Amino acid sequence: MQTVLLTGVSGFIAKHCAVKLLNAGYAVRGSVRNTARADEVKDALRPHLTNPASLQNLTFVPLDLGHDDGWAEAMAGAHALMHTASPFPLVQPKNPEDLIRPAVDGTLRALRAAHQAAVGRVVLTSSSAAVMDSPLRPGRTSHDEADWSDLASPTITAYSRSKTMAERAAWDFVANDAPGMALTTINPTFVLGPALDAHYGTSLRVIERLLSAKDPMLPQIGFPIVDVRDVAEAHLRALQTDAAIGQRIIAAEGSLWFHEMAQAIRDHAPNRKIVTRRAPNALMRVLGLFDAEIRTIVPSLGKIDWLDNTRARTLLGIDFIPAREAVVAAADSVIRLKPA
């Protein structure tokens, strides 16, 4: 039985990756900052395993992206590394380095440990944020894996910088220090879909906000969306597909405006009060002066990006769950796990 070291196993995406790996017959060594969370993770995974006995193939190791302690021991005997752990804030930090350094240093720490332990197969969770913060190439209507976010862009966020720099650091490390390492990056868009438990981090906070009807109007922004189940499946298939080695692979289904997401939830849950009215962009810019969460999205007002998922569909055979279904599944999770 092959062992995969899965970093950040308590995360929203990582828990789904753990389910996929265990169901596919792998042993999973999951890293957490605090092993007290082990039972929480097991409880989340158990109902989704095709064979409940496979839970005995899940073990835990304490690791911190910011420290070297334990990485050598965690990698010992592993056949592959699936590195999902990386900070993802709802509000951009005042000091971008607070986000950039953990993302870059954590990625390099994981890759160095894998290289030193002769773990040659690595699947890294990057992001579409490392792809789409750049102008479209001439003649294109969507971004693809050839695109990289422009670190010099005046509108690039700290999060996009962190994901771009971390992924570039990974490819540079393989090219310069570990040429035999077989690296694949998965670049998901805005990840929605069902949560396995109430500890789903930042990803579904946007859905929480829609369900709360706290905002009288919605900003005119759009998101490329992917279901977390497809993201996890892409990680598993990348691990098993030799043709994926050396590739960036975008995980995206389609794009929706914020009001379209709200409407999808409203259609699914007509008894809930869901706001769908759109706010003027000028008003949002004024509100952004006083609200840090709104300030984060001001550069995206009136903008919607599209990404090309051809590589994921052809190379990995992913048949993506529609974006609206991902939105509704996320809303169902929030309603079920955190009822009003």
Side-chain angles (χ1 to χ4, degrees):
M1 180 180 293
Q2 292 192 341
T3 298
V4 178
L5 175 61
L6 174 60
T7 64
V9 70
S10 61
F12 176 48
I13 293 173
K15 283 197 286 276
H16 280 271
C17 288
V19 167
K20 295 283 188 181
L21 288 165
L22 291 169
N23 284 342
Y26 292 89
V28 175
R29 188 178 298 159
S31 84
V32 285
R33 280 186 291 181
N34 186 345
T35 52
R37 298 192 67 181
D39 287 342
E40 166 201 312
V41 174
K42 287 181 180 179
D43 289 344
L45 304 190
R46 188 177 289 109
H48 306 279
L49 299 176
T50 52
N51 178 7
S54 64
L55 201 61
Q56 67 188 11
N57 299 324
L58 173 65
T59 56
F60 296 87
V61 289
L63 289 177
D64 190 313
L65 291 178
H67 299 92
D68 291 331
D69 298 346
W71 282 92
E73 294 81 1
M75 290 288 179
H79 296 84
L81 165 67
M82 194 170 283
H83 181 52
T84 73
S86 186
F88 177 30
L90 190 60
V91 177
Q92 299 297 312
K94 291 182 179 179
N95 181 0
E97 289 298 311
D98 292 343
L99 198 55
I100 293 168
R101 288 272 57 86
V104 175
D105 294 347
T107 295
L108 289 176
R109 182 167 280 108
L111 292 182
R112 287 192 191 104
H115 181 53
Q116 290 165 4
V119 176
R121 189 70 180 97
V122 178
V123 178
L124 170 69
T125 311
S126 183
S127 172
S128 62
V131 173
M132 63 188 189
D133 207 326
S134 60
L136 284 169
R137 305 195 310 277
R140 291 201 54 91
T141 58
S142 61
H143 290 284
D144 65 13
E145 289 86 356
D147 294 315
W148 283 91
S149 290
D150 180 6
L151 294 174
S153 169
T155 61
I156 193 169
T157 65
Y159 177 69
S160 292
R161 287 180 65 86
S162 75
K163 298 305 290 188
T164 305
M165 293 173 69
E167 189 187 342
R168 281 202 177 276
W171 288 115
D172 288 346
F173 176 80
V174 170
N176 299 322
D177 299 291
M181 181 174 282
L183 174 65
T184 304
T185 65
I186 305 297
N187 297 70
T189 54
F190 183 39
V191 184
L192 294 175
L196 299 188
D197 63 9
H199 304 281
Y200 45 70
T202 306
S203 296
L204 301 193
R205 300 293 181 228
V206 170
I207 302 299
E208 284 184 0
R209 189 155 182 157
L210 284 173
L211 287 167
S212 73
K214 132 181 200 183
D215 303 304
M217 293 181 286
L218 301 179
Q220 297 186 60
I221 56 174
F223 305 96
I225 292 169
V226 66
D227 193 288
V228 65
R229 292 164 289 187
D230 287 336
V231 177
E233 185 67 23
H235 280 72
L236 174 64
R237 294 191 189 186
L239 183 66
Q240 299 172 328
T241 304
D242 287 347
I245 294 170
Q247 300 289 338
R248 310 172 81 201
I249 302 176
I250 289 171
E253 193 282 321
S255 299
L256 294 174
W257 289 99
F258 205 23
H259 70 271
E260 292 178 316
M261 294 169 58
Q263 189 64 54
I265 297 172
R266 188 174 183 177
D267 292 343
H268 178 72
N271 294 330
R272 295 189 69 98
K273 180 183 177 183
I274 305 293
V275 174
T276 59
R277 184 184 176 195
R278 284 169 267 180
N281 290 342
L283 174 61
M284 295 304 299
R285 292 189 180 95
V286 172
L287 293 176
L289 299 174
F290 309 97
D291 186 317
E293 289 187 19
I294 292 175
R295 190 178 312 128
T296 298
I297 64 166
V298 165
S300 302
L301 290 173
K303 176 183 175 185
I304 190 166
D305 291 296
W306 294 85
L307 289 106
D308 188 336
N309 64 11
T310 300
R311 185 172 293 175
R313 289 188 289 105
T314 57
L315 192 62
L316 302 182
I318 303 292
D319 183 13
F320 285 99
I321 295 165
R324 280 179 172 80
E325 288 186 26
V327 170
V328 168
D332 276 343
S333 289
V334 174
I335 291 169
R336 174 174 52 86
L337 296 167
K338 295 191 176 180

